[in-house]
Amino acid sequence: MPLLEVDRVSKEYQTDGGPVLALRDVSLSVEPAEVIAVVGRSGCGKSTLLNLAGAMDFPTRGELRIEGVTTSGLDDAGLTRLRREKVGFIFQSFQLIHTLTVLENVELPVLLARGANARAKALERLRWVELEAYGDRLAHQLSGGQQQRVAIARALVHSPRLLLADEPTGNLDSATSEIVLKLLQRTAKEFGVAVMMATHGLESTAIADRVIRLRDGVLETSAIPALRHS
Ligand SMILES: Nc1ncnc2c1ncn2[C@@H]1O[C@H](COP(=O)(O)OP(=O)(O)OP(=O)(O)O)[C@@H](O)[C@H]1O
Ligand SMILES: [Mg+2]
């Protein structure tokens, strides 16, 4: 079974200026351990697609299924559970809580879900991103690249099946971007997590198994081969 199925999905936003059709009849399916890069110009619908894939929002038409579960069939409690159990999110701006330590940031999703062994799980993930020595620092005392690695640790702390990354290297220089991209690739290959990443940077597509291009909300190519560094 595919991990994620996007089945003839359209998304329309209502604005003061009238409706905006952000996605039109998009279909794709994502397998475990796959890395998908979603590319296209600003406003083409990349973030919209990621938000729908992460059950943060519902499609206007069509449906999305995560491990066979249709997101629009769930109530709020069901959605919260689905997101907690299956989905991790990282963002361009890291979105760590600056008043918490690094370790506390990584623990937080487990504590919010009333899960067990939050500290041990957080330490294990911090070790995996090679930041175990930084657990006691406040999050804002880290470099951008380190903060994004903490965000990856936090996104993986509850062992999701799908990791959604919205411009994860948008605020990083190219050397730091490469470290973060390698971690995302390892996330897919070592843990079998499907990684879906919205990106402008051509270098980001080097880690992708598939590149998907959106143009004005329409999926242009379903499976062009990823551009790889030689
Ligand atoms: N909450 C919203 N309400 C109304 N319109 C929205 C909303 N979110 C996005 N849009 C519109 O939907 C379209 C797609 O936006 P989206 O954020 O998905 O693009 P994007 O590809 O992620 O762009 P960028 O590369 O700039 O991040 C745009 O026209 C945008 O203005
Ligand atoms: Mg976006």
Side-chain angles (χ1 to χ4, degrees):
M1 191 203 302
L3 188 58
L4 169 70
E5 293 163 278
V6 179
D7 190 1
R8 286 165 291 170
V9 160
S10 296
K11 177 67 184 179
E12 194 171 274
Y13 293 110
Q14 301 304 327
T15 71
D16 292 340
V20 174
L21 193 51
L23 291 177
R24 303 169 201 233
D25 209 26
V26 170
S27 294
L28 70 114
S29 102
V30 181
E31 300 294 329
E34 230 187 337
V35 180
I36 309 262
V38 184
V39 303
R41 285 162 54 172
S42 179
C44 70
K46 302 182 295 296
S47 297
T48 300
L49 180 60
L50 260 52
N51 285 336
L52 292 175
M56 309 292 283
D57 201 356
F58 296 121
T60 310
R61 281 181 297 284
E63 63 178 48
L64 293 98
R65 294 180 289 276
I66 301 178
E67 291 191 325
V69 175
T70 302
T71 59
S72 38
L74 296 171
D75 60 12
D76 278 350
L79 274 178
T80 303
R81 201 170 330 110
L82 180 80
R83 283 196 296 261
R84 273 183 188 157
E85 290 175 2
K86 312 265 189 215
V87 185
F89 240 112
I90 63 170
F91 305 91
Q92 177 170 359
S93 53
F94 322 132
Q95 302 208 3
L96 299 177
I97 298 175
H98 286 178
T99 51
L100 296 182
T101 67
V102 164
L103 188 58
E104 287 165 347
N105 267 281
V106 180
E107 279 180 319
L108 195 59
V110 185
L111 297 174
L112 289 175
R114 300 174 199 275
N117 305 321
R119 176 112 332 172
K121 286 176 184 165
L123 279 170
E124 188 188 329
R125 291 308 188 217
L126 268 186
R127 212 170 297 125
W128 192 74
V129 300
E130 296 180 9
L131 287 174
E132 67 273 25
Y134 293 78
D136 293 333
R137 290 233 203 142
L138 289 175
H140 76 268
Q141 295 171 327
L142 267 55
S143 73
Q146 289 169 334
Q147 288 188 49
Q148 194 61 298
R149 283 153 64 197
V150 173
I152 292 172
R154 179 181 60 181
L156 296 180
V157 74
H158 59 314
S159 303
R161 305 295 302 132
L162 175 64
L163 179 64
L164 300 166
D166 200 345
E167 314 267 4
T169 61
N171 285 352
L172 304 176
D173 64 42
S174 60
T176 312
S177 295
E178 198 158 319
I179 293 168
V180 165
L181 291 168
K182 281 272 144 52
L183 268 179
L184 293 179
Q185 191 175 37
R186 285 181 54 202
T187 298
K189 304 310 167 192
E190 287 179 29
F191 300 135
V193 172
V195 175
M196 201 163 157
M197 166 178 61
T199 181
H200 282 116
L202 204 56
E203 76 267 21
S204 304
T205 61
I207 64 151
D209 300 307
R210 260 197 295 161
V211 179
I212 279 171
R213 183 175 296 278
L214 286 170
R215 185 188 290 262
D216 295 334
V218 178
L219 199 62
E220 210 168 53
T221 352
S222 57
I224 57 170
L227 187 78
R228 290 185 185 282
H229 290 310
S230 52

